[in-house]
């Protein structure tokens, strides 16, 4: 029987048995174990995760339908795409930042520090959970938008890398905020302000041309601008060169956020 430190949680068996096997197999096993642990945590509250991530954008989508009973096809696609990105912002930026901050404040990451884990594996597992949080709301908003407006989208394979990058970048953005914030109260304030700003004062619900000049300049800083622009283009007219550039920019955001998490993440609450 393997002994454990008094009061400490037992170490996962897949990690204990990893000695004597090739390094790459240990890393794969380590990553699979961590992702499985994140999946088990999500399983307990997945209904509420989907409901919360879908409620705000769904309410906004229906309100905009009531506000404009005879919309143009461009307005319909703009509204649906905006609310899809709204769901990604709620799930990725808002929920991930608060979840990370809460776990840090409760000292949950100290458990992971006691295990022979590489930090990159832990960060990958955290972002995997962010993807699981975000994808359901994206699917729900697409179906509700299509049913509410009875519109036919331009389906393109380029939507897959866009949706992957959108969920990854927003989850990584929320994770950076969660690790960077000094306490949970500050995280709540930052995430709430960002959620409102990114949704209504950036070109997510509206186009870039509808915003004042000052807000247009600020909007170029946020990745949600490129997500929304690419989604509108793909759903309305299909792929063109601008979408390629927007995907490239989003890949840059994904790389930067990943490096920030790995380099700056503080696992211990102060």
């Amino acid at each position: 029987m393997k002994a454990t430190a008094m009061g400490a949680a037992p170490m996962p068996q897949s990690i204990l048995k990893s000695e004597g096997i090739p390094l790459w197999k240990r890393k794969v096993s380590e990553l699979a174990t961590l992702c499985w642990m994140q999946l088990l945590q999500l399983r307990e509250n997945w209904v509420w995760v989907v409901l919360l991530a879908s409620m705000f954008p769904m309410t906004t989508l229906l309100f905009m339908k009531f506000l404009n009973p005879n919309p143009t096809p461009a307005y319909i696609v703009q509204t649906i795409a905006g609310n899809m990105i709204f769901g990604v912002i709620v799930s990725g930026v808002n929920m991930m930042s608060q979840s990370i901050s809460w776990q840090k404040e409760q000292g949950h990451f100290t458990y992971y520090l006691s295990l022979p884990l590489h930090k990159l594996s832990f960060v990958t597992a955290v972002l995997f959970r962010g993807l699981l949080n975000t994808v359901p709301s994206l699917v729900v908003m697409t179906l509700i938008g299509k049913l509410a407006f009875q519109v036919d989208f331009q389906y393109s394979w380029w939507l897959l890398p866009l949706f992957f990058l959108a969920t990854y970048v927003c989850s990584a953005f929320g994770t950076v905020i969660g690790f960077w914030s000094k306490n949970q109260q500050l995280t709540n304030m930052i995430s709430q302000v960002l959620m409102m700003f990114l949704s209504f004062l950036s070109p997510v619900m509206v186009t870039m041309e509808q915003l004042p000049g000052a807000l247009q300049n600020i909007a170029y800083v946020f990745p949600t601008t490129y997500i929304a622009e690419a989604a509108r283009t793909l759903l309305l007219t299909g792929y063109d060169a601008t979408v390629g550039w927007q995907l490239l920019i989003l890949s840059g955001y994904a790389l930067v956020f990943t490096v920030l998490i790995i380099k700056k993440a503080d696992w211990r609450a102060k």
Side-chain angles (χ1 to χ4, degrees), residues 15 23 26-27 30-31 34 112-113 115-125 262-263 267:
I15 296 175
L23 178 62
R26 292 207 305 270
K27 293 302 178 185
E30 174 182 301
L31 181 59
L34 290 172
Y112 293 99
L113 278 174
L115 301 176
L117 301 173
H118 194 280
K119 196 173 183 180
L120 180 59
S121 298
F122 172 76
V123 170
T124 303
I262 294 173
K263 296 293 185 184
W267 295 21

Side-chain angles (χ1 to χ4, degrees), residues 27-46:
K27 293 302 178 185
V28 170
S29 175
E30 174 182 301
L31 181 59
T33 301
L34 290 172
C35 289
W36 182 248
M37 292 168 69
Q38 295 292 329
L39 186 62
L40 292 178
Q41 291 179 24
L42 181 63
R43 185 183 61 175
E44 298 177 357
N45 302 308
W46 71 270

Side-chain angles (χ1 to χ4, degrees), residues 147-160:
L147 293 174
F149 287 94
Q150 297 294 317
V151 62
D152 291 326
F153 298 127
Q154 292 286 334
Y155 292 104
S156 167
W157 288 106
W158 288 99
L159 285 169
L160 295 179

Side-chain angles (χ1 to χ4, degrees), residues 6-7 12 14 24 29 46 49 82 128 145 149 156 179-180 189 191 194 196 207 209 211 239 243 251 259 269:
M6 183 176 296
S14 60
W24 70 272
S29 175
W46 71 270
V49 169
F128 171 71
F149 287 94
S156 167
F179 276 124
W180 174 80
M189 289 189 291
S191 60
L194 267 179
M196 291 297 108
T207 62
E209 293 74 19
L211 291 174
Y239 179 84
V243 175
S251 300
V259 172

Side-chain angles (χ1 to χ4, degrees), residues 2-174:
K2 295 181 181 299
T4 58
M6 183 176 296
M11 187 178 297
Q13 293 301 308
S14 60
I15 296 175
L16 288 172
K17 296 176 181 177
S18 63
E19 297 180 359
I21 62 176
L23 178 62
W24 70 272
K25 285 188 177 180
R26 292 207 305 270
K27 293 302 178 185
V28 170
S29 175
E30 174 182 301
L31 181 59
T33 301
L34 290 172
C35 289
W36 182 248
M37 292 168 69
Q38 295 292 329
L39 186 62
L40 292 178
Q41 291 179 24
L42 181 63
R43 185 183 61 175
E44 298 177 357
N45 302 308
W46 71 270
V47 174
W48 292 107
V49 169
V50 173
L51 183 63
L52 181 61
S54 305
M55 183 58 68
F56 289 112
M58 184 173 67
T59 305
T60 309
L61 178 67
L62 295 177
F63 172 75
M64 296 179 78
K65 176 177 171 59
F66 302 151
L67 193 64
N68 189 352
N70 298 307
T72 64
Y75 177 85
I76 293 173
V77 172
Q78 173 185 317
T79 302
I80 295 174
N83 281 280
M84 289 164 59
I85 306 308
F86 188 14
V88 175
I89 293 171
V90 172
S91 303
V93 179
N94 192 41
M95 293 175 63
M96 279 299 292
S97 62
Q98 296 193 36
S99 174
I100 292 294
S101 180
W102 180 80
Q103 291 182 69
K104 187 175 71 173
E105 196 158 289
Q106 294 295 316
H108 288 188
F109 298 137
T110 305
Y111 169 74
Y112 293 99
L113 278 174
S114 66
L115 301 176
L117 301 173
H118 194 280
K119 196 173 183 180
L120 180 59
S121 298
F122 172 76
V123 170
T124 303
V126 169
L127 294 177
F128 171 71
R129 182 178 180 180
L131 291 175
L132 294 178
N133 277 342
T134 309
V135 170
S137 67
L138 199 60
V139 174
V140 168
M141 287 312 305
T142 305
L143 294 176
I144 292 176
K146 184 175 177 59
L147 293 174
F149 287 94
Q150 297 294 317
V151 62
D152 291 326
F153 298 127
Q154 292 286 334
Y155 292 104
S156 167
W157 288 106
W158 288 99
L159 285 169
L160 295 179
L162 172 64
F163 287 164
F164 173 78
L165 283 171
T167 53
Y168 184 92
V169 168
C170 286
S171 299
F173 192 9

